[in-house]
Amino acid sequence: MSGATHATLNDLPESTRGQVIDLLNQRLADAIDLELQAKQAHWNVKGPQFIALHKLFDEIHAAADEYVDLLAERIVQLGGVAEGVTAIVAERSELPQYPINISSGEEHVWALSNALASFGERIRRAIDETDELGDTDATDICTEISRGVDKWLWFVEAHADGATAATATPGPRQTANAR
Ligand SMILES: [Fe+2]
């Protein structure tokens, strides 16, 4: 990541902009990964809760797409390059890898809850980090995203009646925070 590379009349100091750009590019990779994971769940979920989960997962995909745009456009406003290509995202995302060989609603609820919780933790941390760096507009964006992610985690976890965190019934690959 290369910080601020384009000239701008934006009055935030270049060092602030550079650090915020790098930080937001990290979260951008996570957000793109989250967006793809939600679509993966939307396509592949099966079982008695199919239609509810199929629709919910697509709503989460659409919301994540908005988060991606908010993060990417803030990066460019600050004079940076939004790094959203798949090779960089695959290398940089800190979300757990989404399990491929799952199909039941319970498994997808577990897997997407994991992704949302992981992203939620990181974007919440970015609220404080951007605030400390002095970019309160980035803080506002991160806060907006954090509020949305907490809501989606609630929506997904409610299908498991709160069981995702409390029971030891993970999907086939327990990869939380593994990369
Ligand atoms: Fe669809």
Side-chain angles (χ1 to χ4, degrees), residues 22-75:
D22 287 349
L23 196 160
L24 294 187
N25 260 319
Q26 183 65 62
R27 300 289 75 83
L28 176 65
D30 298 341
I32 293 171
D33 195 0
L34 176 68
E35 183 183 358
L36 294 172
Q37 293 198 18
K39 211 54 159 172
Q40 178 76 14
H42 165 75
W43 291 324
N44 291 293
V45 68
K46 297 183 190 307
Q49 296 189 93
F50 167 75
I51 201 67
L53 291 174
H54 179 69
K55 288 181 176 175
L56 174 60
F57 294 159
D58 215 22
E59 283 185 62
I60 295 172
H61 170 267
D65 190 48
E66 289 177 20
Y67 306 154
V68 165
D69 223 38
L70 282 169
L71 292 166
E73 290 178 2
R74 183 64 188 161
I75 289 165

Side-chain angles (χ1 to χ4, degrees), residues 133-148:
L133 289 168
D135 182 357
T136 50
D137 299 291
T139 306
D140 183 55
I141 287 169
C142 293
T143 304
E144 178 182 339
I145 295 172
S146 175
R147 212 171 48 234

